[in-house]
């Protein structure tokens, strides 16, 4: 789908394995006005927990998200 505009959301993550999946799901499901696309940029800042695993699981569930 072609969008006239794109909203870029930059999300820093550091040791957020307990909450990152729920937050990402909420951001993914936000409805934007027609003609506005969504780009989600996740920056995992060397988390020592399983944040990356949680992020990757959400990405696999939502291949439609850029």
């Amino acid at each position: 789908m072609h969008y006239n505009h794109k909203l870029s959301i930059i999300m820093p993550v550091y040791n957020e394995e307990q909450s990152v999946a729920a937050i990402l799901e909420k951001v993914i499901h936000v409805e934007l006005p027609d003609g506005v696309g969504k780009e989600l940029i996740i920056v995992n800042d060397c988390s020592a927990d399983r944040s990356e695993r949680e992020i990757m699981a959400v990405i696999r569930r939502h291949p439609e998200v850029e």
Side-chain angles (χ1 to χ4, degrees):
M1 176 176 256
H2 175 69
Y3 296 106
N4 296 329
H5 302 283
K6 185 184 289 186
L7 173 66
S8 296
I9 303 162
I10 302 172
M11 189 174 164
V13 175
Y14 180 73
N15 291 344
E16 296 292 338
E17 75 174 288
Q18 298 297 319
S19 60
V20 70
I23 293 167
L24 288 172
E25 291 288 345
K26 287 181 181 190
V27 171
I28 288 168
H29 288 98
V30 168
E31 299 265 342
L32 297 176
D34 287 340
V36 179
K38 188 184 321 174
E39 172 184 51
L40 183 53
I41 301 166
I42 305 163
V43 181
N44 184 13
D45 193 13
C46 300
S47 293
D49 64 0
R50 298 187 319 181
S51 293
E52 183 175 358
R53 184 181 71 101
E54 295 296 320
I55 293 166
M56 296 308 293
V58 173
I59 290 170
R60 281 191 297 278
R61 285 194 300 271
H62 297 281
E64 74 281 3
V65 177
E66 269 187 62

